[in-house]
Amino acid sequence: MTTPRIGLALSGGGFRATAFGLGCLRALQDRDLLQHVSVVSGISGGSLLTAMWAYGPAEFAEFDDSVVQLLRSGLQAELARRAFAPTAIVKSASSALRATVPGQRRGYSRTDALIAALSSRTFGSRDVADVTHPGRSVILSATDMNTGNAVRFGSRVSSCSAYGKILDSVTVAEAVAASAAFPILLPAMTREYEFENRDGHRTHETVVMTDGGVYDNLGLSPLLPNRSTAHTSHTYDLDFLIAADAGRGHAHRRAARFLPGRLSQSFDITYGKTQDASRGRIHDAAAAGQINGFVHAYLGMRDSKLPVPIQDLVPRERVEKYPTNFAAMSADDLSAVSVRGEQLTRLLLSHYHADLGT
């Protein structure tokens, strides 16, 4: 197969996901496969990397440098400066107070500081339709708290299955911020968009968007084969899927004794099983011949389960506990997380799909 149509999914997980995904992209670039990625889907930290690649510099080396600079400098301190500036505090407080009135919505929050930070960068100020490489489709996903559906901002179409296509212009910064609004750290982002349903009827609907990982932390669901146009605007004809999954893997835990811990563990178990089901669907699709293959580069994969040993492998235990925030990464941590992503992607491609792209 010389011209594969590849779908690439970059998972959530803060800067851990951004760095791990960067390593995967490096491996694909070296294999000359990035040019064949026709669709890229990003979630949270993966949506940041997706945006920087799809809307950033055309040259890979320049893109790579821009990501490294951002990871080393971090976003957390900048977000704090923007969110706790006097004018921002007043706007956030007044907005929160207004939201206590029935029928009113919160128009400003700390998440707007993330939008401002991303908008100050070239890639963030662009419209989601304005990709660097024409013809490449981009999907940046958030979760609507009102309907429980995904809100997918895309270069080809932006939509929410409950309401239809979004007719408003959306910036990359807004789409990434919606995808990365992790509930504990950043408030949900409330926006009113004009939608057009399949019958051509237009409505104005309010969506309350939180982290896309709440719906699908892998970003794989819009890339699944045999999706029906009767239910979604995001259907893609793909031969091959590649997932950069920054999940930490299944941890050995001791049962919590008290309610808060039990609730946290229950959520963690349910969440993990949901992600396992998503991975299983892709493997089933490959086994059924619906796609030609699937590579799953998984940060949390146990080293003992690799098909062949890797010399100088960055071990799982070195990176699995790296936090999923947006704080500045040390040079050592950045190297460890990104190199593991590159090593796993290279190995899996070479071992299972040596002829891909050749």
Side-chain angles (χ1 to χ4, degrees):
M1 179 169 54
T2 56
T3 56
R5 295 166 297 182
I6 297 174
L8 175 63
L10 302 175
S11 84
F15 271 2
R16 185 176 75 198
T18 307
F20 184 77
L22 177 61
C24 295
L25 291 183
R26 287 171 175 169
L28 296 177
Q29 172 69 6
D30 288 348
R31 187 73 177 267
D32 202 27
L33 289 175
L34 272 186
Q35 63 172 322
H36 298 305
V37 172
S38 57
V39 188
V40 56
S41 169
I43 301 289
S44 192
S47 71
L48 176 60
L49 182 64
T50 296
M52 296 185 75
W53 178 53
Y55 301 97
E59 295 297 323
F60 186 85
E62 187 178 352
F63 149 75
D64 192 311
D65 288 343
S66 70
V67 177
V68 169
Q69 290 174 17
L70 180 60
L71 292 173
R72 293 286 287 117
S73 60
L75 278 173
Q76 219 149 271
E78 180 179 351
L79 295 183
R81 289 195 302 270
R82 291 179 180 274
F84 296 107
T87 55
I89 292 175
V90 172
K91 289 175 67 175
S92 183
S94 61
S95 177
L97 182 62
R98 184 170 60 250
T100 62
V101 178
Q104 296 295 311
R105 63 185 179 89
R106 188 171 182 177
Y108 186 90
S109 71
R110 292 191 309 277
T111 305
D112 287 271
L114 177 57
I115 297 174
L118 297 174
S119 296
S120 68
R121 294 161 169 86
T122 302
F123 74 89
S125 63
R126 299 175 75 163
D127 188 277
V128 291
D130 187 20
V131 293
T132 298
H133 301 280
R136 178 170 292 139
S137 295
V138 180
I139 310 165
L140 305 171
S141 297
T143 305
D144 177 31
M145 301 292 285
N146 286 332
T147 64
N149 291 89
V151 180
R152 306 200 189 277
F153 299 102
S155 56
R156 193 181 74 181
V157 60
S158 295
S159 65
C160 176
S161 60
Y163 303 124
K165 297 180 181 179
I166 297 174
L167 301 181
D168 303 85
S169 176
V170 179
T171 67
V172 173
E174 185 173 293
V176 173
S179 181
F182 186 67
I184 296 176
L185 300 175
L186 294 169
M189 196 175 88
T190 303
R191 291 291 186 272
E192 182 179 294
Y193 295 125
E194 183 179 12
F195 290 90
E196 181 178 86
N197 66 18
R198 298 185 184 282
D199 297 327
H201 181 64
R202 297 187 177 187
T203 60
H204 286 83
E205 304 289 349
T206 298
V207 290
V208 182
M209 296 173 288
T210 193
D211 195 306
V214 173
Y215 186 87
D216 167 26
N217 196 50
L218 301 180
L220 281 168
S221 56
L223 307 181
L224 288 169
N226 298 328
R227 283 164 60 86
S228 172
T229 55
H231 301 104
T232 178
S233 300
H234 292 277
T235 60
Y236 302 94
D237 190 11
L238 300 169
D239 303 307
F240 202 90
L241 297 180
I242 298 174
D245 180 354
R248 66 187 180 191
H250 295 288
H252 293 289
R253 60 173 65 85
R254 178 176 296 177
R257 298 176 58 191
F258 301 103
L259 180 61
R262 292 199 301 271
L263 289 175
S264 177
Q265 287 184 349
S266 297
F267 173 83
D268 192 42
I269 292 169
T270 302
Y271 184 78
K273 291 300 181 183
T274 301
Q275 302 309 308
D276 286 345
S278 296
R279 299 180 187 106
R281 290 177 66 186
I282 298 296
H283 286 291
D284 289 344
Q290 297 171 347
I291 55 176
N292 293 335
F294 173 48
V295 162
H296 178 211
Y298 184 24
L299 179 143
M301 177 182 290
R302 295 191 182 279
D303 299 345
S304 60
K305 291 188 176 182
L306 292 175
V308 293
I310 299 178
Q311 186 176 7
D312 299 324
L313 172 69
V314 175
R316 170 187 170 179
E317 58 265 23
R318 169 65 178 84
V319 299
E320 64 180 336
K321 294 182 180 179
Y322 189 84
T324 58
N325 56 29
F326 293 103
M329 297 185 77
S330 71
D332 286 345
D333 285 335
L334 171 55
S335 176
V337 176
S338 60
V339 168
R340 181 170 173 86
E342 187 172 357
Q343 289 175 324
L344 295 181
T345 305
R346 287 182 188 278
L347 171 66
L348 297 175
L349 283 169
S350 297
H351 186 77
Y352 294 112
H353 304 284
D355 61 341
L356 182 64
T358 60

